[in-house]
Amino acid sequence: MMDYNLAWLSYRNIPWYEDRKFFQTIVTREKHVVIKTAVAELCRAAEEMFGMQPEITDRQERKDNFGKNRICLVMDAGISVAGGYRIEEYGGQISIFSGDASGILYGAYALVRRVQRELPLTGLKLQELPDMPLRMLNHWDNMDGSIERGYAGSSFFFKEGEILLNDRTRDYIRLAASVGINGVVINNVNVSGDATRLITDEYELSLKRMAAELEAYGITLYLSLNFAAPIELGDLDTADPEAEEVQSWWKEKMARLFQRIPNLGGFLVKADSEGRPGPFTYGRTHAQGANMLADMIKPYGGLIIWRCFVYNCTQDWRDKKTDRARSAYDNFMPLDGQFAENVILQIKNGPMDFQVREPVSPLFGSLEKTNQILEVQIAQEYTGQQKHVCYLIPMFKEILDFHTYCRKTKDKVSDIVSGRTFLQTECGMAAVANTGSDRNWTGHDLAAANWFGFGRLAFSASLTAEEIAEEWCECTFGPDRETTAAVTRILMMSWPAYEKYTSVLGIGWMVNPGNHYGPNVDGYEYDRWGTYHRADHRGIGVERGRAGTGYTSTYLEPNAAMYENIASCPEELLLFFHYIPYDYKMKSGKTLIQHIYDTHFEGVEDVEKMIGIWEGIRGKIPEEIFRRVKERLNHQREHAEEWRDQVNTYFYRKSFIADEKGRKIY
Ligand code: GCV
């Protein structure tokens, strides 16, 4: 008995589905391992949905039943975007065309999705070409089985220092591949202890097996790397990237590793960040650090994915000039053009750290000569930790749709990370994963929509957040219109609701230090992390304009002027960019303080609405899932009330301005 479900790949039995007839035969002449996977996936779907066992053949023609009722998997050089596919039904035959094996697999999954939604296959014409070349999941899993910022149980990759490879791993791989993921980093970016030794012979066999399992689904294995490995593995007393002994050490290590695991994709590196070692210790730049490693793995086609999450985490809260928001830009912008071809900078979506609302990182659009990956976090560290429902795809859409003005056309973040703007191929999106060994993979059943949605969005950035929500919902629960409408409504309400009852207008934080869960308005205010709100009795907000930290000037025009000027600054980011008095009039005509009170009351009301909507579909969702979600929604309501009351009380006590509507504030 499996102690987990298969999320959106839990196929329902639908013997009434007319177009099941196409699954009678699967035809392919291709021998590629990923195409074998595609065949196996189609067979599994046919078996589970219709109790059918398709005949598998490499014969294109059959005298008795020419071309009828079959699915053909065909390589077609005409589709030149890697992973792209075209599906066509013609004369009783469905053909899935692609220029490469992964595309055939993605086409097979797309076909199955349509079946799950009980949409017709007859007359089908569908083409999808992936927007992002790299579509990655970053797991922050530790080798003892814990997960940093993990909210869905323990790791299914590691336990007690060992690598796990079992049915659960395989089902994880299926789920990831089914939404187009093509790269996975299995260990935490904070690399220490056993994880430092992942590059040694010790783990060679397990990693080799892991890489092969992933490869069969078109996914490349990556590891996080410890920059100080030459020291920590006890071989050298320096990790200086310019030191000859360090270079030969890495050269030898990498040669051995890639010889044994030639399909390893490369490494993700967190350096000089939050106490992790890096090139700064030796007076070297990030370009020197990254390029040295890149050089060592270039012969094997490997990539170094270097994170830009670099900032001073020992700041003095009294210092109003140092601005953590500037940090990634100040550190990396001067290095544009200095990175090797096989280095990619991985940039968090915002300049701070996965808050519920942040402006887009100013590195996007400014860096012109450097490969870039957009990093988002579907682990809901600051967005309800998978106890609150918070569908993040609308946020990711806004980020992708942001105009940087780096060019007259193709200037959006989605253009840049798809490679269209600067004609790059080593680019894409990565998400900090939200999975774990919980029965439903993601803690909150509705959080699976973020995993599914991230993959779908990275593949097809033009899909809307609603389309993705509906697709996820119907694949997971079946195509019941009422259920789809209700669940989609809850998902679409959830990010704005979370923002309303927590920290509005871009101010962020206000969480309990350490675990980052629950309200604590001053939790980080007098601390060293550079995460302040600067509220006093007159107003609140961080002055990041010219009169303050000057962060606004890191944007290209006209964005810089838009943010600089309070009147044109988008209101949802007002307190991120400016210190604003409580009696400031918002566009709605309300004062700032009234806006704060109102949104916090509204946020709780929104959660109550979500509970009502969920209750309305009882009986349409498997009872076990219904109850799990209901329990979490009830917790969310209580927790939202706590947020509302703490935040409103805090600002009432600071400002001494009463709520116009006379509601209870403590
Ligand atoms: C993996 C935040 C998190 C850390 C995380 C870090 C990062 O600061 O709280 O747990 O470390 O981001 O992205 O490296």
Side-chain angles (χ1 to χ4, degrees), residues 62 83 117 133 213 318 330 403 510 587 650:
R62 290 173 50 162
R117 303 180 74 186
E213 293 279 353
R318 299 164 190 86
D330 289 345
H403 284 280
M510 301 189 173
K587 292 193 179 100
Y650 179 95

Side-chain angles (χ1 to χ4, degrees), residues 81-332:
V81 180
Y85 61 83
R86 194 173 74 245
I87 310 178
E88 275 173 16
E89 188 277 331
Y90 183 74
Q93 168 173 312
I94 291 176
S95 304
I96 303 180
F97 301 101
S98 175
D100 61 294
S102 301
I104 300 274
L105 179 63
Y106 300 143
Y109 280 124
L111 191 74
V112 172
R113 276 198 295 275
R114 282 190 73 85
V115 178
Q116 286 178 287
R117 303 180 74 186
E118 297 181 40
L119 297 169
L121 302 182
T122 306
L124 176 64
K125 273 200 178 15
L126 174 71
Q127 171 161 301
E128 270 196 307
L129 306 175
D131 279 292
M132 315 293 158
L134 292 165
R135 305 174 296 276
M136 305 189 67
L137 286 171
N138 291 182
H139 292 268
W140 288 356
D141 291 27
N142 300 313
M143 293 197 64
D144 63 1
S146 62
I147 303 180
E148 180 149 354
R149 311 304 175 188
Y151 310 108
S154 50
S155 173
F156 46 73
F157 285 121
F158 305 107
K159 193 175 175 186
E160 294 165 6
E162 295 303 323
I163 297 175
L164 304 175
L165 191 51
N166 50 33
D167 286 346
R168 181 128 205 182
T169 330
R170 281 177 210 108
D171 282 323
Y172 159 80
I173 295 172
R174 295 181 58 227
L175 283 160
S178 74
V179 289
I181 298 299
N182 65 358
V184 165
V185 185
I186 58 171
N187 65 309
N188 189 357
V189 285
N190 289 328
V191 188
S192 60
D194 285 341
T196 305
R197 300 204 315 275
L198 279 172
I199 54 169
T200 65
D201 298 351
E202 219 174 305
Y203 294 99
E204 174 201 317
L205 212 61
S206 325
L207 286 176
K208 199 177 167 61
R209 284 200 201 118
M210 178 73 79
E213 293 279 353
L214 287 161
E215 192 180 34
Y217 280 79
I219 301 177
T220 304
L221 172 69
Y222 295 79
L223 297 174
S224 293
L225 196 68
N226 184 343
F227 193 80
I231 305 174
E232 288 184 28
L233 293 178
D235 295 333
L236 301 178
D237 56 12
T238 177
D240 180 355
E242 297 292 306
E244 231 170 78
E245 70 268 33
V246 172
Q247 294 177 1
S248 1
W249 188 91
W250 280 113
K251 194 171 188 164
E252 199 237 285
K253 271 275 170 305
M254 292 299 123
R256 283 176 76 88
L257 191 63
F258 277 91
Q259 191 183 37
R260 292 175 163 118
I261 314 170
N263 50 356
L264 183 67
F267 302 96
L268 176 62
V269 190
K270 171 175 178 177
D272 291 314
S273 168
E274 299 184 326
R276 301 314 305 146
F280 282 169
T281 315
Y282 310 97
R284 311 295 182 193
T285 68
H286 283 275
Q288 285 172 300
N291 291 347
M292 181 275 291
L293 292 171
D295 213 27
M296 303 306 159
I297 62 174
K298 197 174 172 185
Y300 320 106
L303 296 173
I304 292 295
I305 306 175
W306 192 269
R307 295 176 86 226
C308 293
F309 186 59
V310 175
Y311 69 99
N312 172 8
C313 63
T314 55
Q315 208 181 306
D316 184 345
W317 59 269
R318 299 164 190 86
D319 165 12
K320 287 191 167 177
K321 282 289 171 198
T322 306
D323 185 359
R324 171 166 165 180
R326 290 195 62 114
S327 189
Y329 182 90
D330 289 345
N331 275 296
F332 288 92

Side-chain angles (χ1 to χ4, degrees), residues 44 48 69 86 163 201 422 492 525 591 628 665:
R44 182 166 175 167
E48 291 180 14
N69 297 339
R86 194 173 74 245
I163 297 175
D201 298 351
F422 304 120
M492 293 305 293
E525 195 57 17
T591 58
R628 260 199 313 256
I665 294 181

